[in-house]
Amino acid sequence: MVQEYISPVRVHKYPFEMVMAAYERRFPSCPQIPVVVECVITEDSWTADNSQRLTTRRCQLNVEAPYLLKKMIGVDYIYFIQKNVLDLKTRTLDIEATNETFANRVGVVEKCRYYVHPENAQWTCFEQSATLDVKNFFGLESTVEKIAMKQYAANIAKGKELIESFMKEVNDEGVKELAPWNPKDDAANLELRRIVSRGTELPKGQSQPDQYTLDSEYIKRHLGELTPVQEARLLQLRKWIADLQKGKVPSDTTLLRFLRARDFNVEKAREMLSQSLLWRKKHQVDRLLSEYETPDVVKQYFPGGWHHHDKDGRPLYILRLGQMDVKGLLKSIGEDGLLKLTLHVCEEGLKLLEEASGASSRAVQAWSLLVDLDGLNMRHLWRPGVRALLRVIQLVEANYPETMGRVLIVRAPRVFPILWTIVSTFIDENTRSKFLFYGGKDYLQPGGLLDYIPKDLIPDFLGGPCKSFVHEGGLVPKSLYVSGAFTEREGDPLSEDSIYRSVSLGKGQVHEVIVPNRDPQSVLTWDFDVLRHDIAFTVYRTEHQLDHPPPDTTALCVGGADEAKSVLEQKGWREGEHYHRVEPTLVCHDGESIQGSHVMLECGSYILQWRCELLDSAHRAAQLMYFHETLASHHYKGSMSSLQSGTSGFSCLSGKSAASSCPSR
């Protein structure tokens, strides 16, 4: 496979003729580039008017290869043929070097070009590219590629430094200025010829420097430090996308983000970026900043927003996830509304990055995220909400890669490992490595937030002095729910009705779910809403075998409107002897949303039981909507042993909760 390497444009802030005088100091040998042992001129000629010089050199190189490799291939040195064409009239120099040694096994072509800066005639540009084709090299193809790339990178790194060094030598010799070639001044031309030893005419078929070249100082200022290989890959992706798009090319910072997301594999980055550009066009994302109108419910109840910057100058976004009513937001703006909100935040972030880079002396390429988990409990594991969150994460990962510089997680509660285990598998490994976690109150201690956020910018709700305008979040009133905002769609795994069951209970009746467990340390979770009346909820365990569910299910529902007795009571079993209560009875009131979990330490049958004791004066049946799930032990490796059940007043569904608050436990 042919490998291609393209370097960014280097700018020497000296006239072309002075740069040529400095460049000549590299020959016949150069101590600063020890790999070049000697360059011998085999052909050298000037045109009659002294405007062009054609030079051919045979260069001996001592390549930095392992001793054993040199012995295996039987050579200590390799030879390259370098052909230079200097044109003082057009003020250009073209250089082409090809390998003479092992030419039938390895093809190396390096091209360099010096020319006058298109916007400043007193500056000189230098660009460099190379192709490597290892056809057959004794089974050492991969090794040869690595050695060649290492050598190429070293040469690039030395190039500009050498010109600066040789320019000082030229000045020390008393040469302060050289006039450009003049057809009417032969004496001056001869002097220029004496001092300068190169020039080139633009070969046929070679294009002038185009808009896809990059200046090295521009890269350092706006893109940050890049290795020669990374610079080459950036230029290659830029050209490919330009050919593909036939129009507007994304910014270099955007190209660089997609390259980093694919470890600078140009082919993979191009595929990822192409898909993202199609997605942006299809959903008109470029118009989002100017056209998006923030819904009122988001303004009042979404606990997230931008908050100054971190110590690295990165824009800082705060999300008080523990205070977010996921269910309420989805029922108010729907999943599409939540996605659009997220995309708007990401687009704002890109704009803030541009502003931060402009205000700084260096490139600011990513923002930081501070996530406060205070208040997080099992209600955040409401399955439709989790799946909506996963869809958001996948969309952001695919279209805004490498925009997250650091994620600070504070006040992480006991329930957090469950949410993290579910979500983390959908987050890119490189992004996961940027997460820092702080449980308890140690986030303001040494090694905590103060290492990353200026002390005067720590938000007030975390004990800092800075007033935060990020909303506290809280319960979304039912009066703001929008009919149809979050409804079942055919084949949609986020459908509420596809995972939640509804049950009606008369006076004294029970509804039970039997969960057989053969996996010690697995976690049983539940989420239910009381739609009418008070309902008592209890979890039991028995070592005895109960009726097993069908093979394609994980639980068996018993009781209900036609049967008042529990399955335990039907068998005549006594509590404490035949079965045990593993979670205390919880009386759940009309309108409450309850979430909880239990680590099933032992095998046996676990019973989730809901019981209705009383009815209202209208004798209407109690109503319940519930969901349960068993989480396998191997996913958590014991991290769930401290989980506790939780209740919440969030997302209440009864008519009583239509006001701005509802009872909570």
Side-chain angles (χ1 to χ4, degrees):
M1 179 179 177
V2 178
Q3 299 288 339
E4 182 178 1
Y5 306 99
I6 307 173
S7 303
V9 174
R10 312 292 181 187
V11 176
H12 304 296
K13 296 184 178 181
Y14 305 101
F16 174 80
E17 289 73 22
M18 293 293 290
V19 171
M20 291 299 98
Y23 174 79
E24 183 63 16
R25 269 57 178 181
R26 295 180 59 170
F27 302 103
S29 62
C30 178
Q32 293 92 332
I33 309 181
V35 66
V36 180
V37 179
E38 186 179 28
C39 289
V40 178
I41 294 179
T42 60
E43 181 183 352
D44 190 23
S45 62
W46 285 86
T47 57
D49 60 359
N50 294 318
S51 67
Q52 290 185 0
R53 183 195 187 195
L54 281 71
T55 308
T56 301
R57 291 182 174 91
R58 188 170 186 261
C59 300
Q60 182 185 34
L61 277 65
N62 181 15
V63 177
E64 295 179 2
Y67 174 78
L68 288 178
L69 176 61
K70 289 185 177 181
K71 290 303 179 184
M72 287 175 60
I73 61 179
V75 298
D76 289 320
Y77 302 100
I78 62 175
Y79 292 88
F80 272 75
I81 302 300
Q82 184 191 75
K83 295 183 178 181
N84 300 337
V85 182
L86 171 66
D87 193 324
L88 296 177
K89 186 186 302 183
T90 60
R91 304 178 78 190
T92 55
L93 168 63
D94 283 315
I95 310 163
E96 181 175 295
T98 56
N99 62 303
E100 182 181 72
T101 308
F102 298 118
N104 61 330
R105 295 181 178 273
V106 180
V108 180
V109 179
E110 181 180 29
K111 295 183 178 181
C112 305
R113 191 162 197 266
Y114 288 89
Y115 57 93
V116 178
H117 193 288
E119 297 179 1
N120 190 330
Q122 297 302 307
W123 292 355
T124 304
C125 297
F126 172 70
E127 58 185 34
Q128 187 174 14
S129 65
T131 58
L132 172 65
D133 184 11
V134 184
K135 304 166 187 174
N136 183 345
F137 205 84
F138 315 107
L140 301 171
E141 291 80 9
S142 177
T143 301
V144 171
E145 284 188 6
K146 291 179 181 178
I147 293 174
M149 192 58 243
K150 180 181 178 181
Q151 197 62 63
Y152 178 72
N155 289 344
I156 291 175
K158 276 287 184 182
K160 188 170 183 179
E161 176 186 332
L162 286 176
I163 289 296
E164 296 293 332
S165 175
F166 292 140
M167 188 62 68
K168 185 177 184 302
E169 291 184 16
V170 172
N171 288 330
D172 290 345
E173 293 173 5
V175 180
K176 304 296 184 181
E177 182 179 358
L178 288 172
W181 183 85
N182 186 340
K184 297 181 179 180
D185 192 345
D186 190 58
N189 293 338
L190 288 174
E191 177 65 14
L192 179 60
R193 166 179 165 170
R194 184 182 68 82
I195 298 175
V196 175
S197 302
R198 296 173 75 120
T200 180
E201 184 176 39
L202 193 67
K204 293 182 179 179
Q206 181 175 332
S207 60
Q208 292 285 353
D210 59 27
Q211 59 180 321
Y212 305 119
T213 57
L214 294 176
D215 177 82
S216 57
E217 292 185 9
Y218 160 81
I219 290 178
K220 186 175 182 180
R221 170 65 180 81
H222 296 282
L223 304 180
E225 296 290 343
L226 298 178
T227 67
V229 175
Q230 291 171 343
E231 292 172 346
R233 303 284 165 80
L234 174 59
L235 290 172
Q236 188 177 355
L237 179 61
R238 209 169 194 264
K239 187 177 186 306
W240 277 4
I241 292 297
D243 294 341
L244 181 68
Q245 290 294 107
K246 303 298 182 184
K248 184 180 179 182
V249 178
S251 67
D252 296 320
T253 54
T254 299
L255 299 177
L256 194 56
R257 286 194 291 106
F258 282 85
L259 277 169
R260 285 191 170 120
R262 291 296 179 264
D263 295 324
F264 283 87
N265 182 307
V266 180
E267 192 67 45
K268 292 181 179 179
R270 179 175 65 166
E271 180 180 354
M272 182 184 184
L273 179 56
S274 298
Q275 292 296 325
S276 181
L277 292 175
L278 289 174
W279 169 82
R280 292 184 69 89
K281 183 177 182 180
K282 178 179 178 181
H283 298 282
Q284 299 183 327
V285 179
D286 290 337
R287 298 164 58 179
L288 199 57
L289 279 179
S290 60
E291 297 183 358
Y292 178 74
E293 295 185 7
T294 306
D296 289 339
V297 66
V298 172
K299 294 178 182 177
Q300 298 178 55
Y301 297 99
F302 182 72
W306 294 101
H307 177 86
H308 303 286
H309 54 80
D310 67 8
K311 284 189 173 181
D312 294 319
R314 296 165 169 159
L316 177 64
Y317 192 86
I318 292 177
L319 180 63
R320 303 182 68 176
L321 183 59
Q323 303 300 316
M324 183 187 296
D325 179 5
V326 180
K327 186 182 293 186
L329 285 169
L330 282 174
K331 287 183 174 292
S332 301
I333 62 175
E335 184 183 343
D336 289 342
L338 186 61
L339 284 173
K340 187 169 289 188
L341 168 63
T342 303
L343 298 181
H344 184 256
V345 170
C346 290
E347 290 295 308
E348 283 183 322
L350 295 179
K351 183 179 179 181
L352 290 173
L353 288 179
E354 291 183 11
E355 295 174 356
S357 294
S360 174
S361 59
R362 57 183 179 81
V364 180
Q365 301 170 334
W367 57 72
S368 290
L369 175 64
L370 172 61
V371 182
D372 179 21
L373 296 181
D374 185 46
L376 188 80
N377 59 39
M378 291 302 296
R379 64 183 166 81
H380 291 89
L381 291 177
W382 179 58
R383 177 56 67 88
V386 171
R387 290 185 175 176
L389 175 61
L390 294 181
R391 184 181 170 195
V392 166
I393 291 173
Q394 290 176 315
L395 199 63
V396 172
E397 286 282 327
N399 298 285
Y400 300 92
E402 296 299 313
T403 54
M404 194 70 68
R406 184 181 295 117
V407 183
L408 303 168
I409 308 288
V410 298
R411 301 200 281 191
R414 293 174 178 176
V415 73
F416 175 67
I418 286 185
L419 184 62
W420 176 245
T421 302
I422 295 173
V423 169
S424 62
T425 56
F426 291 86
I427 301 176
D428 178 80
E429 182 179 352
N430 187 39
T431 303
R432 287 202 306 271
S433 67
K434 301 172 184 177
F435 279 68
L436 299 172
F437 300 90
Y438 302 93
K441 300 180 180 180
D442 62 347
Y443 55 86
L444 290 182
Q445 301 301 316
L449 294 185
L450 293 176
D451 285 359
Y452 307 103
I453 302 175
K455 184 176 181 180
D456 61 333
L457 295 182
I458 299 293
D460 50 3
F461 62 85
L462 292 179
C466 188
K467 173 67 176 176
S468 170
F469 294 97
V470 176
H471 198 279
E472 294 181 358
L475 176 70
V476 177
K478 286 195 64 177
S479 59
L480 296 179
Y481 286 7
V482 176
S483 177
F486 190 73
T487 57
E488 181 177 7
R489 289 170 286 185
E490 184 177 355
D492 186 356
L494 288 176
S495 166
E496 241 183 70
D497 296 336
S498 66
I499 59 174
Y500 281 78
R501 294 197 58 180
S502 296
V503 176
S504 295
L505 296 176
K507 181 179 179 180
Q509 291 181 330
V510 297
H511 180 80
E512 292 179 330
V513 175
I514 299 174
V515 182
N517 179 49
R518 302 178 183 85
D519 180 17
Q521 299 292 332
S522 59
V523 181
L524 175 61
T525 69
W526 54 85
D527 177 10
F528 63 90
D529 289 278
V530 180
L531 309 183
R532 187 185 298 156
H533 301 314
D534 292 351
I535 293 178
F537 173 70
T538 313
V539 182
Y540 298 100
R541 183 189 69 83
T542 178
E543 296 178 356
H544 300 282
Q545 181 176 340
L546 293 174
D547 294 332
H548 283 271
D552 59 342
T553 64
T554 58
L556 176 67
C557 301
V558 298
D562 298 325
E563 195 169 38
K565 288 188 177 182
S566 161
V567 67
L568 302 172
E569 296 170 341
Q570 293 174 32
K571 291 181 176 293
W573 288 351
R574 291 188 299 273
E575 185 176 349
E577 182 178 349
H578 300 96
Y579 65 92
H580 303 274
R581 193 182 305 238
V582 295
E583 289 287 340
T585 299
L586 180 67
V587 178
C588 311
H589 302 290
D590 182 1
E592 285 190 325
S593 178
I594 311 299
Q595 295 80 26
S597 66
H598 179 80
V599 180
M600 297 187 288
L601 298 175
E602 303 174 76
C603 295
S605 296
Y606 288 78
I607 303 98
L608 304 177
Q609 182 191 90
W610 292 269
R611 182 186 297 272
C612 176
E613 300 290 357
L614 299 172
L615 296 180
D616 60 14
S617 56
H619 301 289
R620 295 178 300 171
Q623 290 187 349
L624 169 75
M625 185 178 76
Y626 73 90
F627 165 75
H628 76 92
E629 183 176 21
T630 298
L631 308 172
S633 62
H634 68 269
H635 290 159
Y636 308 103
K637 300 178 181 177
S639 64
M640 300 298 102
S641 58
S642 63
L643 287 178
Q644 297 178 347
S645 302
T647 63
S648 170
F650 276 62
S651 306
C652 300
L653 300 178
S654 72
K656 293 181 179 179
S657 67
S660 60
S661 63
C662 70
S664 62
R665 295 178 60 83

